[in-house]
Amino acid sequence: MSDDDDLKTLTVTCGSLTGTLIMEKFLCPGIHQFCIEINGQLTTPKEFMVMGDKEKLKDWKSAVRLGGQPFRKLMDSGQLDFYQHVESCTGRCAAKTSMRPGADAGSESAICSMGLPTMVPLTHAYDQGSDDSSVDSSVIQARGSNGVLAGSLPHPENLDTDFDIENPLLFWEGIINVRLFEDFVSEMKQALDKLQSDVTSNGLQEEDAQKLTNVAKELKQMGKFYWLLSMQKGAAEVNEDTLRKEIEELEKQKEDKRSRQEELKRKRESFHQLLDMGRYAKSARSISSSPGSSSLDEKR
């Protein structure tokens, strides 16, 4: 097999399962593409995930790994992409790409079909004769159909935070229509995950508490929180009552055992007295039966 042939296939894993990714068959959106060969048979990334016993992840990009790294991380950083993605994007991939070198994976989302910036697929770098599979994302960034360089776009930290939605219904219908709904929800989930991580690492701040309260109110979770707290309170009361009864039972058993101990003590003392009386009687008979004692009795 030539070097070019090696570059067109990659060894992938999922759990303890190992397969071969056929790059030319790894087409957008990937999930149902028969592009992974295992035991001489082609299967899809989703089926490969199930075969690797990772279906609980519900995300094939997180389950399937290349060089020990999940596909999602490699695709988010631009080191891996679907074969000829720019030319053959279906618009159903919702591919997340890094907008600038060093940016956090998953911070921005780009859909090729909308003309937003995308990365050059890894196979393009291979076609250019690259022997290094870990291509720097800063090298393989390319212009989207709108002619804007991905690296020139503002990072989310520098975006206008005053952006607001005048008509939420129309806005979110539009987001669904352009197939960005999952991306937007994913971004919100990531924000909540980061908030959770910050609270866990640095402790709860007043600002964090207000954010959590606002989210809970907007998602109408306060009633559920009250129900959960009530359930936990009821469970604590039941456990407390059970423990109290167990303590009372132990106290009763303690008193019973103490009474039994006193009874055994009295019996022991009685047995001791009886044994002493037996020894005294035996001693008295010994004295009365001795020769000296008979002489004394006669003299008297």
Side-chain angles (χ1 to χ4, degrees):
M1 183 178 290
S2 67
D3 293 340
D4 290 339
D5 291 334
D6 290 335
L7 293 175
K8 292 179 181 179
T9 61
L10 298 169
T11 300
V12 294
T13 60
C14 182
S16 60
L17 199 63
T18 300
T20 301
L21 177 67
I22 312 299
M23 288 302 302
E24 291 183 353
K25 297 181 180 296
F26 186 47
L27 302 174
C28 175
I31 185 169
H32 297 302
Q33 298 294 329
F34 287 87
C35 57
I36 298 178
E37 181 178 341
I38 179 171
N39 297 327
Q41 300 291 328
L42 287 177
T43 187
T44 67
K46 183 176 181 179
E47 293 172 348
F48 189 63
M49 174 181 68
V50 174
M51 294 167 65
D53 198 26
K54 295 293 183 180
E55 64 271 21
K56 290 183 179 179
L57 293 177
K58 298 180 180 180
D59 177 19
W60 68 270
K61 291 181 183 178
S62 298
V64 181
R65 291 174 174 262
L66 171 62
Q69 298 293 328
F71 269 40
R72 180 164 294 285
K73 181 177 180 179
L74 295 172
M75 298 183 79
D76 285 351
S77 64
Q79 298 181 69
L80 177 68
D81 203 351
F82 300 113
Y83 181 71
Q84 295 184 351
H85 196 183
V86 176
E87 295 85 352
S88 60
C89 180
T90 63
R92 301 195 304 272
C93 53
K96 293 184 176 182
T97 58
S98 181
M99 291 300 186
R100 65 185 179 118
D104 292 337
S107 296
E108 298 84 12
S109 302
I111 304 301
C112 305
S113 61
M114 295 178 59
L116 297 180
T118 185
M119 295 291 185
V120 175
L122 191 60
T123 49
H124 288 191
Y126 291 155
D127 294 340
Q128 295 171 2
S130 172
D131 294 330
D132 186 4
S133 60
S134 58
V135 182
D136 190 343
S137 61
S138 64
V139 176
I140 62 176
Q141 283 179 329
R143 295 178 183 271
S145 60
N146 58 0
V148 179
L149 272 175
S152 66
L153 292 179
H155 189 260
E157 296 176 356
N158 303 320
L159 294 177
D160 184 4
T161 56
D162 292 332
F163 174 73
D164 200 358
I165 303 171
E166 295 182 359
N167 191 322
L169 179 59
L170 289 179
F171 177 81
W172 286 104
E173 283 181 345
I175 294 299
I176 293 172
N177 290 336
V178 296
R179 299 186 179 93
L180 277 175
F181 181 72
E182 292 183 0
D183 287 79
F184 276 43
V185 172
S186 177
E187 293 294 336
M188 290 187 285
K189 289 180 179 178
Q190 290 182 29
L192 282 175
D193 288 341
K194 184 178 184 304
L195 177 58
Q196 179 183 7
S197 177
D198 291 343
V199 171
T200 302
S201 302
N202 307 321
L204 181 66
Q205 307 297 322
E206 183 175 353
E207 181 181 1
D208 299 331
Q210 189 60 54
K211 290 178 181 178
L212 291 169
T213 302
N214 291 340
V215 171
K217 287 182 176 179
E218 288 296 328
L219 296 179
K220 302 187 184 303
Q221 295 295 301
M222 300 305 290
K224 182 177 289 187
F225 289 172
Y226 178 83
W227 177 79
L228 288 172
L229 289 172
S230 299
M231 291 291 293
Q232 293 296 325
K233 175 176 175 290
E237 290 174 347
V238 170
N239 292 333
E240 181 185 14
D241 186 60
T242 300
L243 186 59
R244 177 183 58 78
K245 291 179 179 178
E246 290 177 354
I247 293 174
E248 290 178 352
E249 181 63 26
L250 290 174
E251 291 289 348
K252 181 180 178 182
Q253 293 179 12
K254 180 180 178 182
E255 291 299 324
D256 291 342
K257 291 184 181 297
R258 183 170 291 166
S259 298
R260 178 63 176 163
Q261 182 185 29
E262 293 295 330
E263 180 182 355
L264 291 173
K265 181 180 178 181
R266 289 193 297 270
K267 283 187 176 182
R268 177 177 59 79
E269 292 175 350
S270 297
F271 289 142
H272 183 71
Q273 292 175 0
L274 290 172
L275 289 172
D276 285 345
M277 290 174 61
R279 285 196 294 272
Y280 175 77
K282 182 178 180 181
S283 177
R285 287 195 300 272
S286 298
I287 294 174
S288 61
S289 61
S290 64
S293 62
S294 299
S295 304
L296 290 173
D297 290 339
E298 289 177 357
K299 289 181 179 179
R300 288 176 184 171

